[in-house]
Amino acid sequence: MRKTPYSHLVSNSRNPEEEGLPVGDVAVQETRPQLAPPPMYKVIILNDDYTPMDFVVEILEGFFNMDREKATRVMLTIHTEGEATCGIYTRDVAETKAAQVIDYAQQNQHPLLCRIEKT
């Protein structure tokens, strides 16, 4: 190792005696970190009086991979109850899907809104 003016401050030694640590057999028990699954978020589409029902079905099929029958059922739930959950995802995915739905609706001049909510 090349000597520098600060080399006395840096020690690359792993010898316990040189580091001032006790010498001998030490039992080390490794613990696994407690990992929790990430929190999940619901993507909820809100009803409005202007967005056509067919457009909502198109969104449910395209962005949430629903078949026509399920998309129609969810669309009717949105229409009758004011909102419906379209999918449950991790936060990043839920935020992305909600933003995509809102952007697509705006591109097609519809006021459809979407929000996420922690489950």
Side-chain angles (χ1 to χ4, degrees), residues 6-88:
Y6 303 104
S7 62
H8 66 284
L9 298 176
V10 179
S11 173
N12 290 335
S13 169
R14 297 304 297 164
N15 186 344
E17 290 177 354
E18 290 179 15
E19 293 180 7
L21 299 173
V23 179
D25 293 333
V26 177
V28 177
Q29 180 181 5
E30 291 187 26
T31 59
R32 291 185 165 198
Q34 297 297 322
L35 299 176
M40 302 301 279
Y41 290 79
K42 298 186 283 188
V43 179
I44 300 168
I45 291 184
L46 306 174
N47 186 43
D48 64 67
D49 294 333
Y50 303 102
T51 305
M53 293 179 180
D54 291 339
F55 184 76
V56 176
V57 170
E58 178 185 330
I59 283 180
L60 294 170
E61 290 175 333
F63 291 100
F64 299 97
N65 299 318
M66 294 183 189
D67 59 32
R68 176 67 54 138
E69 184 179 326
K70 184 174 181 180
T72 303
R73 280 196 312 259
V74 173
M75 177 273 300
L76 289 172
T77 302
I78 294 168
H79 181 69
T80 58
E81 297 180 18
E83 63 183 39
T85 299
C86 303
I88 299 175

